[in-house]
């Protein structure tokens, strides 16, 4: 009888784990004495993985019921990427810093941390990886893509709400975009009012992508009920009210990159 009760209890526990076995946070050794957090959630039939770089200070908040608590556009869109057929990885924060500032994102230490995180993700899935950044995360995604030109496992780069103001270190058009020889998608909201991410400045990025075999700029409109700071996630800068539309168009393009 005790054995039966033990088995029943074990099965109940396993069912509970399955019910909440969505995403997980891992601590990955990335430099001597430094661990970096990585959020990971997979789907069995995924043909590719999106490796996400959030904006602001970086990270994805706490994981609650298997999903990131951050309101960042990419972090709150995890379920949408999964529904569109992708594994999802989110680069978190290294243990030696509480935040990733602009300069931190174009530092060799950052590239070292990301490369180690990418290798960890490859132990989870051999699927090609798309680097995807939003807002300040576009600085990271671009920097890593440029520093990984020999990595055949990186399928391409997607930039949303890109930082373009040259006064910010690492601004996307200030980086060596000519070094990129992979597909690049640039997505921006036509009503983005963030001073360092002006819609008309997206052309600076496109002109810099001289050697990208495929490149496309998509200016989106719509959404609704923006609130808070114009440079924050709940405004047009974060594609508020049209997350699904934007993720779907990104997913469609990643599956079939065209100019």
């Amino acid at each position: 009888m005790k054995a039966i009760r033990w088995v029943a209890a074990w099965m109940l526990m396993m069912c509970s784990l399955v019910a909440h076995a969505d995403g997980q946070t891992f601590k990955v050794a990335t430099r001597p004495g430094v661990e970096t957090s990585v959020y990971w959630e997979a789907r069995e039939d995924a043909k590719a993985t999106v490796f996400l770089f959030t904006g602001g200070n970086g990270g994805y908040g706490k994981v609650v019921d298997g999903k990131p608590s951050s309101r960042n556009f990419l972090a709150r869109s995890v379920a949408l990427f999964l529904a569109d057929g992708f594994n999802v990885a989110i680069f978190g924060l290294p243990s030696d810093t509480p935040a990733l500032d602009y300069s931190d994102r174009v530092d060799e230490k950052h590239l070292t941390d990301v490369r180690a995180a990418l290798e960890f993700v490859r132990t989870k899935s051999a699927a090609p990886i798309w680097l995807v950044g939003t807002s300040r995360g576009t600085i990271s995604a671009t920097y890593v893509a440029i520093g990984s030109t020999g990595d055949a496992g990186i399928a391409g780069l997607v930039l949303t709400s890109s930082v373009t103001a040259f006064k910010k270190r690492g601004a996307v058009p200030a980086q060596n975009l000519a070094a990129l020889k992979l597909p690049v998608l640039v997505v921006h909201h036509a009503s983005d009012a963030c001073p360092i991410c002006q819609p008309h400045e997206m052309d600076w990025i496109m002109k810099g992508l001289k050697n990208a075999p495929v490149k496309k700029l998509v200016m989106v409109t719509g959404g609704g009920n923006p609130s808070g700071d114009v440079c924050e996630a709940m405004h047009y800068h974060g594609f508020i009210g049209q997350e699904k539309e934007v993720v779907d168009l990104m997913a469609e393009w990643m599956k079939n990159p065209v100019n």
Side-chain angles (χ1 to χ4, degrees):
M1 184 62 68
K2 287 184 178 180
I4 293 174
R5 284 200 297 266
W6 182 88
V7 171
W10 180 83
M11 291 180 65
L12 181 62
M13 179 186 71
M14 291 305 295
C15 288
S16 177
L17 285 173
V18 170
H20 296 90
D22 296 317
Q24 293 177 277
T25 294
F26 295 89
K27 296 291 186 180
V28 180
T30 55
R31 283 176 281 127
V34 175
E35 292 182 325
T36 299
S37 61
V38 176
Y39 173 90
W40 171 254
E41 187 166 357
R43 54 175 294 163
E44 290 184 5
D45 58 346
K47 298 297 190 294
T49 295
V50 286
F51 190 92
L52 311 179
F53 295 93
T54 60
N57 291 326
Y60 43 80
K62 297 179 180 179
V63 174
V64 180
D65 293 333
K67 292 294 185 288
S69 62
S70 169
R71 298 194 300 174
N72 178 268
F73 163 60
L74 294 179
R76 70 176 189 264
S77 298
V78 167
L80 298 174
F81 283 109
L82 291 165
D84 279 331
F86 295 88
N87 297 321
V88 177
I90 308 178
F91 185 79
L93 290 169
S95 58
D96 62 346
T97 183
L100 290 172
D101 204 349
Y102 295 91
S103 59
D104 296 322
R105 294 174 182 269
V106 287
D107 189 287
E108 188 66 28
K109 292 188 295 184
H110 187 47
L111 184 58
T112 298
D113 290 338
V114 175
R115 282 175 173 167
L118 287 169
E119 288 308 307
F120 166 77
V121 167
R122 287 175 174 133
T123 67
K124 296 294 185 180
S125 171
I129 296 172
W130 282 85
L131 302 176
V132 183
T134 196
S135 193
R136 205 180 300 181
T138 59
I139 295 174
S140 292
T142 303
Y143 181 69
V144 172
I146 293 171
S148 306
T149 53
D151 189 340
I154 294 179
L157 173 66
V158 178
L159 304 174
T160 70
S161 304
S162 301
V163 174
T164 53
F166 281 78
K167 66 181 180 180
K168 295 298 184 182
R169 188 175 177 193
V172 175
Q175 296 193 48
N176 182 21
L177 299 180
L180 295 173
K181 298 179 180 180
L182 38 65
V184 181
L185 174 66
V186 178
V187 182
H188 211 81
H189 200 292
S191 298
D192 190 337
C194 184
I196 63 171
C197 307
Q198 292 293 297
H200 69 273
E201 295 174 349
M202 294 307 110
D203 286 341
W204 296 352
I205 297 176
M206 303 310 291
K207 290 176 181 177
L209 296 169
K210 299 175 181 178
N211 297 308
V214 182
K215 60 182 179 180
K216 187 176 182 65
L217 169 62
V218 178
M219 296 297 294
V220 301
T221 58
N225 300 318
S227 62
D229 192 310
V230 296
C231 290
E232 294 295 336
M234 307 311 288
H235 216 279
Y236 290 119
H237 182 71
F239 304 100
I240 190 68
Q242 61 181 162
E243 294 85 351
K244 185 177 188 305
E245 177 186 345
V246 174
V247 171
D248 285 352
L249 76 83
M250 291 161 60
E252 182 179 353
W253 190 88
M254 285 187 281
K255 292 173 183 176
N256 182 32
V258 292
N259 287 316

